[in-house]
Amino acid sequence: MSRDIDVLVLGGAGVDTIVYVPRLPLPYADSYLVERGIRTRAGQTGDFVALGLAALGLRVHHLDMLGDDAEGELVRALHREKGIALTAVPQPAGTKRAVNLVGPDGRRLSLYDASRTRFEDRFPEDTVGALAAASRHVHVTITQPCADTLPLLRETGATVSTDLHDWDGENPYHEPFAHAADLVFLSATALADPERTMRRIADRGRAEVVVATAGAKGAYLLSDDELTHVPAAVPPAPVLDSNGAGDAFAAAFLHGWLNRETPHRSAVHGSVAGAHACTVPSTETRSMTREELLAGVASLEGRGNRATADARPPAPAPPDPAGPSGRRS
């Protein structure tokens, strides 16, 4: 069977309104003067993973539900501009949207519009099946209605990854994603014992590799039953905010993994891309190119920055600049 698509990104299309606030948590006040302005732009977790993969030279197709509204047109325009194939299933409730409050330290609080999600929504099985069968790999976001596609995806023969974001290790909503994927990303932010959660994912599911990002502490990689630590890369410019860091990490890791790099070296790629994303303002959708990524990896390896075997994640984990939202974007 021809695999003309490198990565099918499933779900996670939407629009964010970015508001830079003087601090988080934001104390109550009747009003605030927002000096850096307020901007609405296309881009949620699936969009950012697709953008990151395409910028690295992979053939990407994005499938999600979009409304016939202004937000949906922003998403369509972003994909046209970046040359990313998009299949948009009609969503009567409207395109997903959120408001991101971004503090001076780059951390983010996301407010999601629940009225744009209907739990009865489903993707057409024939559309999902045809696209997945034409793909080498499928990256599944944890947005509705992606969970219902997981059994079908396994039948197509494509490998599957997912990002659990700030899962606490207990919420049952995340478990089908965690147990159906060959490659699982998550943030250590909300985990009391990251290693225990990572091993439980591997023991109960299909995952060959589990990666937990821990912000400035780097990332933890579980592969072949061995836990190793990958130090964080140094951002190439001042850190502005964390939107896009987790999605950039996942995209760069997948780029390495699909090009037969080892899991450890793929995680180094992710670390470099995540650090770069922290230097890009939330109001922009600018991804690292393949040339920039490889130069960053060479620089990191040239400084002798190596993973520490058998390093154990802290418990509880430190805050993750990739942020606690379902986008980590």
Side-chain angles (χ1 to χ4, degrees):
M1 180 178 295
S2 175
R3 301 280 181 174
D4 296 326
I5 302 168
D6 289 316
V7 183
L8 170 65
V9 178
L10 194 60
V15 168
D16 285 344
T17 296
I18 309 299
V19 185
Y20 288 98
V21 295
R23 59 181 290 190
L24 285 175
L26 187 64
Y28 174 76
D30 180 72
S31 62
Y32 281 91
L33 182 64
V34 182
E35 296 182 356
R36 295 181 63 180
I38 298 173
R39 180 178 172 184
T40 297
R41 55 106 179 102
Q44 293 193 353
T45 183
D47 300 311
F48 277 106
V49 172
L51 291 172
L53 291 166
L56 294 173
L58 294 176
R59 300 166 298 176
V60 184
H61 197 112
H62 194 180
L63 168 65
D64 201 4
M65 306 187 79
L66 295 179
D68 183 15
D69 49 24
E71 291 87 354
E73 181 51 36
L74 284 175
V75 174
R76 294 178 178 90
L78 175 64
H79 286 71
R80 288 195 298 268
E81 176 190 346
K82 301 297 183 179
I84 298 172
L86 172 67
T87 296
V89 177
Q91 170 55 284
T95 303
K96 290 185 289 293
R97 61 184 180 183
V99 175
N100 290 346
L101 306 183
V102 183
D105 61 355
R107 296 193 182 186
R108 179 194 62 213
L109 171 66
S110 294
L111 308 173
Y112 291 97
D113 184 350
S115 71
R116 299 295 178 101
T117 298
R118 305 186 314 175
F119 288 98
E120 66 271 21
D121 287 332
R122 298 291 184 272
F123 289 122
E125 287 192 4
D126 56 346
T127 301
V128 174
L131 287 171
S135 303
R136 295 171 58 198
H137 182 82
V138 183
H139 182 75
V140 184
T141 72
I142 59 172
T143 58
Q144 182 73 14
C146 295
D148 296 293
T149 69
L150 295 170
L152 175 60
L153 294 177
R154 299 271 25 131
E155 297 174 4
T156 68
T159 53
V160 174
S161 61
T162 193
D163 191 336
L164 307 179
H165 302 290
D166 65 334
W167 188 37
D168 62 2
E170 303 296 334
N171 188 335
Y173 176 83
H174 299 69
E175 289 183 355
F177 297 95
H179 298 159
D182 303 285
L183 170 59
V184 176
F185 301 98
L186 74 163
S187 168
T189 301
L191 300 177
D193 188 341
E195 179 179 358
R196 177 175 176 271
T197 300
M198 294 169 72
R199 291 193 179 277
R200 192 169 75 231
I201 290 170
D203 290 343
R204 296 182 181 180
R206 303 176 51 92
E208 300 174 8
V209 179
V210 182
V211 185
T213 58
K217 295 293 184 180
Y220 299 93
L221 175 71
L222 180 63
S223 178
D224 293 327
D225 202 38
E226 181 180 6
L227 184 74
T228 57
H229 175 241
V230 179
V234 177
V239 171
L240 298 177
D241 63 55
S242 60
N243 284 273
D247 297 326
F249 185 106
F253 189 106
L254 287 172
H255 175 267
W257 198 56
L258 291 171
N259 281 288
R260 301 186 182 278
E261 297 284 3
T262 65
H264 169 257
R265 200 152 193 272
S266 297
V268 172
H269 286 207
S271 179
V272 169
H276 174 272
C278 288
T279 69
V280 179
S282 294
T283 52
E284 297 183 14
T285 52
R286 175 162 46 89
S287 300
M288 200 174 201
T289 66
R290 184 175 183 274
E291 291 71 23
E292 290 172 328
L293 174 64
L294 296 181
V297 170
S299 176
L300 185 64
E301 293 176 336
R303 290 196 297 268
N305 198 348
R306 297 183 178 86
T308 302
D310 296 324
R312 291 295 186 266
D320 183 355
S325 85
R327 212 166 23 268
R328 278 171 66 232
S329 17

